[in-house]
Amino acid sequence: MPSLIARRDQFFKNINDQGIALTYDDVRLTTGHSEVLPDDIDVESKFSRNVGLRIPIASAAMDTVTEAEMAIEIAKLGGIGVIHKNFSPHDQASQVAKVKFHLNGLIGKPICFNQNVSIEEILNTRKQKGYAFHSFPIVDDEHRLVGILTENDFTFCENLALKAKQVMTKNVITAKPGASLREAYDVMKDNKKKSLPLRDKSGKVAGLYTFSDVKRILVGDSKTFNVDKTGRLRVAAAIGVYDDAFARLEKLIPEQVDVVVIDTAHGDSKGVLETLKMVKKKYDVDVIAGNISEAESAERLLKAGADGLKVGQGPGSICTTRIIAGIGKPQVSAVYECAKAARRYKVPVCADGGLKYSGDISIAIGAGAHSVMMGNMLAGTKESPGDFRFHQGVQYKVYRGMGSLGAMESSKGSRERYNQGKNDLIPEGMEGMVPYKGPVKEVIHQYVGGLRRGMGYVGARSIEHLREIAQFIRITEAGKAESHPHDIVITREAPNYQEKI
Ligand code: XMP
């Protein structure tokens, strides 16, 4: 009996041997014996070699989809946002900083006071600057940590003229720089301390954890958040090739961007391969490269050191690449081929574009993807950038391709994605609008809910398990018609099903 992976390989081989490639509407996953309940299913995955996901969803690097507001919300829901590159390097880095500073896991540069400053002066500064917190590391003239002032010290201090060194707690419990959120939590809990300064080798303050923030991230409402080691929301940023990549990295790295995505329409190109190698040599950051749709392209990028692959050439709802250029491969086959090539390298694959319903997420992962990237399915939400439009009494938001005329005319980032100069543009995308969908939290709830149901039907307990056991069946036009609601006038829309425009 061939393994389930071998059976799936055979299915795609048979299709490929006929010179055919398939996309979402061509296939379904077969149901299998199941002992899992949708709510017990684990949907954690990976976006790149070292960057995890709590839900396998990324928001697209598009100027009508992902800026800081979307990236914050999507990371809070467990996914990751890729900040688009129609920003200048400086502005793009500011967007990344907004996401990274949204939660205070580790305070990198805590407010410290010199030991000779009086309690009154500290309280006045606190009031003036509007600090909501009470924990201040106290340092000597060489900025070495000598004590800490906490809320209790202020509460029980009767003489405000006393100096910090006379009131502070002297035996400070500290941790080393690099202590993780979990380590910090355990130390503070064991010692019943509300704050934990990090002390470097020279005795200087290298950061501060506060118990309330760390607890909120680890065990509070925020346990679904996708956070880095220090408890800050994860975020990605798109970069171009050569100078563009380095100009952006110079600004993005200090803001601690978690992963960068070399975001081009043709990932199997000299520019991408050379840039990838140069970035990996110079920086210690995960790099996802794309977009591609062929196994050989995956192989080349993997050999060049890619920490993740982004697959999709022309499946997007706003894409016209396949029509204008006549190239591309239907998305399910493209994902399968690239993911198969990536198996040996243990590098995650993101299926980018072309998803219309939550069931497509199950299919993309069944074909080998570790995550999906959504443009259209997240456009038109409260958190997506752009204005509302009213059309025949219905609320819409703008959604446009990064290769659309509007995006390319207004931005170098877009032109570079499609390797074009300033004049005589050849667009590869469209501009339009999509119905307003409400808060992204509600749509993601439906998308992940649909994925869990799919995994339940297949019998997969985790994303890895789904990637292992998923089996495909090809459906006909009649099968597709049967799959959608039919022979009924819909009187009430469901939150997870709309007839497509
Ligand atoms: P969806 O289907 O989610 O696709 O709307 C989003 C993905 O489409 C890609 N993209 C484009 N592709 N012309 C293209 O050929 C474009 O103008 C364009 N803009 C975005 C991109 O990979 C995105 O994540």
Side-chain angles (χ1 to χ4, degrees):
M1 178 91 172
S3 75
L4 292 171
I5 293 181
R7 266 167 60 187
R8 182 175 55 218
D9 286 345
Q10 191 60 47
F11 169 86
F12 281 101
K13 183 174 180 305
N14 292 345
I15 295 290
N16 195 40
D17 285 350
Q18 297 170 60
I20 296 173
L22 302 173
T23 193
Y24 294 112
D25 281 351
D26 293 321
V27 293
R28 294 294 100 180
L29 300 180
T30 57
T31 52
H33 171 70
S34 186
E35 294 184 5
V36 294
L37 294 172
D39 286 347
D40 299 335
I41 286 168
D42 177 4
V43 291
E44 291 204 358
S45 191
K46 276 189 155 189
F47 189 45
S48 62
R49 208 188 295 266
N50 301 297
V51 176
L53 295 168
R54 292 212 146 146
I55 60 168
I57 295 179
S59 66
M62 299 173 72
D63 61 5
T64 47
V65 182
T66 310
E67 295 182 355
E69 197 181 344
M70 172 67 80
I72 288 170
E73 201 53 31
I74 203 95
K76 281 177 155 180
L77 294 164
I80 197 163
V82 187
I83 305 284
H84 68 81
K85 64 185 175 70
N86 280 359
F87 282 116
S88 68
H90 173 270
D91 292 350
Q92 189 188 31
S94 307
Q95 294 283 315
V96 165
K98 271 192 195 169
V99 184
K100 296 306 291 182
F101 282 99
H102 186 73
L103 298 178
N104 282 332
L106 172 68
I107 304 158
K109 289 185 189 144
I111 310 297
C112 300
F113 287 96
N114 185 281
Q115 59 182 348
N116 292 316
V117 175
S118 73
I119 299 297
E120 188 168 20
E121 280 174 80
I122 295 176
L123 285 174
N124 285 343
T125 311
R126 183 176 174 267
K127 198 167 165 196
Q128 264 170 24
K129 304 258 179 178
Y131 300 143
F133 45 91
H134 289 88
S135 292
F136 299 104
I138 303 300
V139 294
D140 64 13
D141 294 343
E142 269 75 50
H143 298 285
R144 285 179 307 227
L145 181 73
V146 289
I148 190 159
L149 279 176
T150 63
E151 192 170 0
N152 277 356
D153 297 318
F154 289 105
T155 308
F156 296 112
C157 175
E158 288 178 338
N159 179 0
L160 300 187
L162 289 176
K163 299 207 160 139
K165 64 181 174 195
Q166 297 169 287
V167 178
M168 69 189 188
T169 306
K170 290 196 180 95
N171 291 329
V172 192
I173 307 253
T174 61
K176 287 189 187 140
S180 72
L181 204 64
R182 172 55 63 185
E183 285 159 359
Y185 179 76
D186 291 342
V187 172
M188 287 190 279
K189 193 164 150 275
D190 293 348
N191 292 284
K192 295 200 170 61
K193 293 287 172 199
K194 284 189 173 167
S195 48
L196 180 72
L198 305 187
R199 194 203 307 247
D200 69 15
K201 276 189 193 139
S202 60
K204 290 184 181 156
V205 180
L208 180 78
Y209 279 113
T210 64
F211 190 70
S212 51
D213 285 341
V214 173
K215 187 173 173 196
R216 187 163 44 87
I217 293 166
L218 285 179
V219 294
D221 291 347
S222 37
K223 56 180 180 289
T224 57
F225 290 9
N226 186 16
V227 292
D228 64 19
K229 210 168 80 153
T230 61
R232 301 206 263 176
L233 293 174
R234 282 188 164 131
V235 62
I239 59 171
V241 294
Y242 300 125
D243 289 354
D244 177 88
F246 289 97
R248 291 182 188 281
L249 281 157
E250 216 169 276
K251 305 274 180 198
L252 292 167
I253 296 292
E255 300 302 347
Q256 281 160 32
V257 68
D258 293 272
V259 47
V260 292
V261 180
I262 304 182
D263 182 40
T264 70
H266 190 11
D268 188 1
S269 57
K270 188 167 174 249
V272 173
L273 287 157
E274 288 187 355
T275 304
L276 171 60
K277 285 184 201 156
M278 292 191 291
V279 174
K280 286 306 298 175
K281 212 170 194 182
K282 185 158 178 201
Y283 293 102
D284 179 21
V285 67
D286 269 16
V287 184
I288 295 179
N291 278 17
I292 53 166
S293 57
E294 297 293 338
E296 298 80 38
S297 307
E299 199 64 53
R300 272 187 280 277
L301 290 173
L302 291 162
K303 278 196 184 125
D307 300 299
L309 299 176
K310 196 147 71 71
V311 177
Q313 284 182 311
S317 60
I318 32 49
C319 302
T320 53
T321 296
R322 292 202 192 145
I323 306 304
I324 299 306
I327 62 92
K329 181 180 244 174
Q331 183 70 343
V332 171
S333 289
V335 169
Y336 166 78
E337 301 286 347
C338 296
K340 189 172 170 220
R343 263 185 228 160
R344 272 188 302 122
Y345 293 81
K346 297 197 170 31
V347 163
V349 167
C350 176
D352 176 14
L355 296 107
K356 296 196 292 249
Y357 297 102
S358 54
D360 296 339
I361 310 174
S362 316
I363 291 172
I365 294 169
H370 297 72
S371 67
V372 296
M373 178 169 279
M374 294 175 170
N376 193 313
M377 284 179 75
L378 297 173
T381 52
K382 180 172 152 280
E383 292 79 1
S384 65
D387 297 330
F388 284 104
R389 300 253 170 107
F390 281 91
H391 179 64
Q392 296 178 341
V394 179
Q395 244 182 337
Y396 288 82
K397 273 182 116 171
V398 171
Y399 179 47
R400 69 177 184 183
M402 292 295 271
S404 65
L405 204 50
M408 288 214 277
E409 276 169 353
S410 65
S411 159
K412 192 164 154 250
S414 259
R415 292 194 294 275
E416 282 176 358
R417 187 176 201 271
Y418 295 89
N419 217 353
Q420 299 201 24
K422 209 163 179 186
N423 302 313
D424 304 325
L425 295 166
I426 314 285
E428 289 186 36
M430 301 304 293
E431 293 169 69
M433 55 188 190
V434 291
Y436 178 59
K437 299 186 179 78
V440 76
K441 188 174 176 172
E442 287 171 19
V443 301
I444 291 284
H445 172 71
Q446 292 298 333
Y447 300 160
V448 177
L451 168 65
R452 285 180 184 280
R453 307 217 64 79
M455 292 169 73
Y457 280 112
V458 172
R461 55 183 177 273
S462 66
I463 296 294
E464 264 323 292
H465 196 206
L466 177 61
R467 294 179 62 250
E468 236 170 72
I469 67 171
Q471 298 300 310
F472 282 78
I473 186 80
R474 187 175 174 191
I475 59 170
T476 61
E477 272 305 307
K480 181 181 156 198
E482 184 188 63
S483 306
H484 284 271
H486 52 87
D487 302 303
I488 180 179
V489 176
I490 295 175
T491 52
R492 186 172 178 192
E493 285 222 330
N496 53 359
Y497 184 85
Q498 284 83 37
E499 285 175 295
K500 293 295 161 188
I501 311 161

